[in-house]
mmCIF file of all heavy atoms in Angstrom:
data_model
loop_
_atom_site.group_PDB
_atom_site.id
_atom_site.type_symbol
_atom_site.label_atom_id
_atom_site.label_comp_id
_atom_site.label_asym_id
_atom_site.label_seq_id
_atom_site.Cartn_x
_atom_site.Cartn_y
_atom_site.Cartn_z
ATOM 1 N N TYR A 598 -25.853 14.596 -26.014
ATOM 2 C CA TYR A 598 -26.566 13.411 -26.459
ATOM 3 C C TYR A 598 -26.014 13.044 -27.846
ATOM 4 O O TYR A 598 -25.906 13.955 -28.759
ATOM 5 C CB TYR A 598 -28.038 13.569 -26.448
ATOM 6 C CG TYR A 598 -28.838 12.526 -27.189
ATOM 7 C CD1 TYR A 598 -29.097 11.300 -26.501
ATOM 8 C CD2 TYR A 598 -29.277 12.656 -28.445
ATOM 9 C CE1 TYR A 598 -29.788 10.313 -27.144
ATOM 10 C CE2 TYR A 598 -29.960 11.626 -29.130
ATOM 11 C CZ TYR A 598 -30.235 10.455 -28.476
ATOM 12 O OH TYR A 598 -30.962 9.485 -29.101
ATOM 13 N N GLN A 599 -25.758 11.763 -28.056
ATOM 14 C CA GLN A 599 -25.282 11.246 -29.363
ATOM 15 C C GLN A 599 -26.374 10.463 -30.072
ATOM 16 O O GLN A 599 -26.910 10.789 -31.095
ATOM 17 C CB GLN A 599 -24.039 10.469 -29.183
ATOM 18 C CG GLN A 599 -22.769 11.298 -28.764
ATOM 19 C CD GLN A 599 -21.621 10.289 -28.510
ATOM 20 O OE1 GLN A 599 -21.760 9.147 -28.279
ATOM 21 N NE2 GLN A 599 -20.430 10.916 -28.687
ATOM 22 N N THR A 600 -26.698 9.289 -29.464
ATOM 23 C CA THR A 600 -27.651 8.374 -30.074
ATOM 24 C C THR A 600 -28.165 7.460 -28.997
ATOM 25 O O THR A 600 -27.837 7.577 -27.812
ATOM 26 C CB THR A 600 -27.008 7.581 -31.218
ATOM 27 O OG1 THR A 600 -27.945 6.796 -31.896
ATOM 28 C CG2 THR A 600 -25.875 6.674 -30.676
ATOM 29 N N GLN A 601 -29.055 6.498 -29.404
ATOM 30 C CA GLN A 601 -29.593 5.594 -28.516
ATOM 31 C C GLN A 601 -29.905 4.263 -29.172
ATOM 32 O O GLN A 601 -30.030 4.228 -30.369
ATOM 33 C CB GLN A 601 -30.886 6.148 -27.803
ATOM 34 C CG GLN A 601 -32.105 6.280 -28.704
ATOM 35 C CD GLN A 601 -33.213 6.896 -28.086
ATOM 36 O OE1 GLN A 601 -33.129 7.720 -27.181
ATOM 37 N NE2 GLN A 601 -34.422 6.482 -28.492
ATOM 38 N N ILE A 602 -30.029 3.227 -28.295
ATOM 39 C CA ILE A 602 -30.535 1.889 -28.811
ATOM 40 C C ILE A 602 -31.511 1.469 -27.832
ATOM 41 O O ILE A 602 -31.595 1.852 -26.621
ATOM 42 C CB ILE A 602 -29.409 0.893 -28.952
ATOM 43 C CG1 ILE A 602 -28.639 0.700 -27.620
ATOM 44 C CG2 ILE A 602 -28.371 1.211 -30.031
ATOM 45 C CD1 ILE A 602 -27.575 -0.394 -27.612
ATOM 46 N N HIS A 603 -32.534 0.531 -28.322
ATOM 47 C CA HIS A 603 -33.477 0.001 -27.483
ATOM 48 C C HIS A 603 -33.201 -1.439 -27.261
ATOM 49 O O HIS A 603 -33.188 -2.243 -28.181
ATOM 50 C CB HIS A 603 -34.927 0.251 -28.117
ATOM 51 C CG HIS A 603 -35.958 0.110 -27.064
ATOM 52 N ND1 HIS A 603 -37.301 0.246 -27.473
ATOM 53 C CD2 HIS A 603 -35.962 -0.192 -25.784
ATOM 54 C CE1 HIS A 603 -38.027 0.167 -26.314
ATOM 55 N NE2 HIS A 603 -37.211 -0.095 -25.323
ATOM 56 N N VAL A 604 -32.851 -1.748 -26.031
ATOM 57 C CA VAL A 604 -32.548 -3.142 -25.651
ATOM 58 C C VAL A 604 -33.830 -4.007 -25.521
ATOM 59 O O VAL A 604 -34.498 -3.894 -24.475
ATOM 60 C CB VAL A 604 -31.685 -3.221 -24.403
ATOM 61 C CG1 VAL A 604 -31.313 -4.663 -24.019
ATOM 62 C CG2 VAL A 604 -30.440 -2.361 -24.551
ATOM 63 N N ARG A 605 -34.131 -4.709 -26.518
ATOM 64 C CA ARG A 605 -35.364 -5.478 -26.575
ATOM 65 C C ARG A 605 -35.314 -6.613 -27.616
ATOM 66 O O ARG A 605 -34.403 -6.610 -28.490
ATOM 67 C CB ARG A 605 -36.532 -4.613 -26.844
ATOM 68 C CG ARG A 605 -36.423 -3.867 -28.191
ATOM 69 C CD ARG A 605 -37.696 -3.031 -28.499
ATOM 70 N NE ARG A 605 -37.583 -2.387 -29.824
ATOM 71 C CZ ARG A 605 -38.574 -1.669 -30.296
ATOM 72 N NH1 ARG A 605 -39.704 -1.527 -29.634
ATOM 73 N NH2 ARG A 605 -38.384 -1.066 -31.511
ATOM 74 N N SER A 606 -36.206 -7.525 -27.579
ATOM 75 C CA SER A 606 -36.343 -8.562 -28.597
ATOM 76 C C SER A 606 -37.159 -8.063 -29.810
ATOM 77 O O SER A 606 -37.969 -7.095 -29.677
ATOM 78 C CB SER A 606 -36.994 -9.798 -27.985
ATOM 79 O OG SER A 606 -36.226 -10.315 -26.921
ATOM 80 N N ALA A 607 -37.004 -8.716 -30.920
ATOM 81 C CA ALA A 607 -37.674 -8.289 -32.165
ATOM 82 C C ALA A 607 -39.201 -8.604 -32.031
ATOM 83 O O ALA A 607 -39.990 -7.820 -32.587
ATOM 84 C CB ALA A 607 -37.078 -8.978 -33.367
ATOM 85 N N HIS A 608 -39.606 -9.565 -31.298
ATOM 86 C CA HIS A 608 -40.984 -9.945 -31.157
ATOM 87 C C HIS A 608 -41.156 -10.692 -29.800
ATOM 88 O O HIS A 608 -40.156 -11.029 -29.181
ATOM 89 C CB HIS A 608 -41.460 -10.834 -32.310
ATOM 90 C CG HIS A 608 -40.528 -12.004 -32.551
ATOM 91 N ND1 HIS A 608 -40.622 -13.164 -31.779
ATOM 92 C CD2 HIS A 608 -39.538 -12.202 -33.483
ATOM 93 C CE1 HIS A 608 -39.747 -13.987 -32.273
ATOM 94 N NE2 HIS A 608 -39.087 -13.458 -33.264
ATOM 95 N N GLY A 609 -42.379 -11.020 -29.474
ATOM 96 C CA GLY A 609 -42.661 -11.633 -28.243
ATOM 97 C C GLY A 609 -42.922 -10.732 -27.090
ATOM 98 O O GLY A 609 -43.020 -9.524 -27.247
ATOM 99 N N LYS A 610 -42.890 -11.405 -25.910
ATOM 100 C CA LYS A 610 -43.218 -10.589 -24.646
ATOM 101 C C LYS A 610 -42.090 -9.578 -24.271
ATOM 102 O O LYS A 610 -42.370 -8.721 -23.505
ATOM 103 C CB LYS A 610 -43.442 -11.525 -23.545
ATOM 104 C CG LYS A 610 -42.273 -12.388 -23.138
ATOM 105 C CD LYS A 610 -42.540 -13.301 -21.941
ATOM 106 C CE LYS A 610 -41.295 -14.174 -21.566
ATOM 107 N NZ LYS A 610 -41.663 -15.009 -20.381
ATOM 108 N N ASN A 611 -40.899 -9.798 -24.859
ATOM 109 C CA ASN A 611 -39.788 -8.887 -24.490
ATOM 110 C C ASN A 611 -39.625 -7.817 -25.585
ATOM 111 O O ASN A 611 -38.558 -7.108 -25.593
ATOM 112 C CB ASN A 611 -38.531 -9.644 -24.409
ATOM 113 C CG ASN A 611 -38.521 -10.750 -23.394
ATOM 114 O OD1 ASN A 611 -39.191 -10.572 -22.318
ATOM 115 N ND2 ASN A 611 -37.933 -11.852 -23.612
ATOM 116 N N ALA A 612 -40.664 -7.575 -26.528
ATOM 117 C CA ALA A 612 -40.467 -6.587 -27.518
ATOM 118 C C ALA A 612 -40.612 -5.165 -27.040
ATOM 119 O O ALA A 612 -40.154 -4.260 -27.704
ATOM 120 C CB ALA A 612 -41.533 -6.878 -28.610
ATOM 121 N N LYS A 613 -41.168 -4.963 -25.850
ATOM 122 C CA LYS A 613 -41.335 -3.568 -25.346
ATOM 123 C C LYS A 613 -40.082 -3.093 -24.667
ATOM 124 O O LYS A 613 -40.018 -1.909 -24.440
ATOM 125 C CB LYS A 613 -42.568 -3.607 -24.376
ATOM 126 C CG LYS A 613 -43.860 -3.847 -25.022
ATOM 127 C CD LYS A 613 -44.992 -3.746 -23.969
ATOM 128 C CE LYS A 613 -46.357 -3.962 -24.643
ATOM 129 N NZ LYS A 613 -47.506 -3.793 -23.653
ATOM 130 N N GLY A 614 -39.249 -4.024 -24.260
ATOM 131 C CA GLY A 614 -38.033 -3.553 -23.602
ATOM 132 C C GLY A 614 -38.147 -3.677 -22.077
ATOM 133 O O GLY A 614 -39.286 -3.481 -21.581
ATOM 134 N N SER A 615 -37.110 -4.046 -21.490
ATOM 135 C CA SER A 615 -37.120 -4.260 -20.002
ATOM 136 C C SER A 615 -36.026 -3.433 -19.263
ATOM 137 O O SER A 615 -35.132 -2.959 -19.999
ATOM 138 C CB SER A 615 -36.930 -5.760 -19.613
ATOM 139 O OG SER A 615 -37.895 -6.542 -20.260
ATOM 140 N N LYS A 616 -36.105 -3.246 -18.003
ATOM 141 C CA LYS A 616 -35.123 -2.475 -17.256
ATOM 142 C C LYS A 616 -33.735 -2.945 -17.502
ATOM 143 O O LYS A 616 -33.410 -4.141 -17.457
ATOM 144 C CB LYS A 616 -35.434 -2.632 -15.737
ATOM 145 C CG LYS A 616 -34.461 -1.786 -14.881
ATOM 146 C CD LYS A 616 -34.830 -1.941 -13.427
ATOM 147 C CE LYS A 616 -34.578 -3.319 -12.889
ATOM 148 N NZ LYS A 616 -34.756 -3.338 -11.431
#
Side-chain angles (χ1 to χ4, degrees):
Y598 171 80
Q599 293 178 332
T600 185
Q601 68 183 33
I602 57 175
H603 201 176
V604 180
R605 61 177 179 175
S606 300
H608 51 78
K610 63 180 181 180
N611 301 326
K613 293 182 178 180
S615 303
K616 178 179 69 172

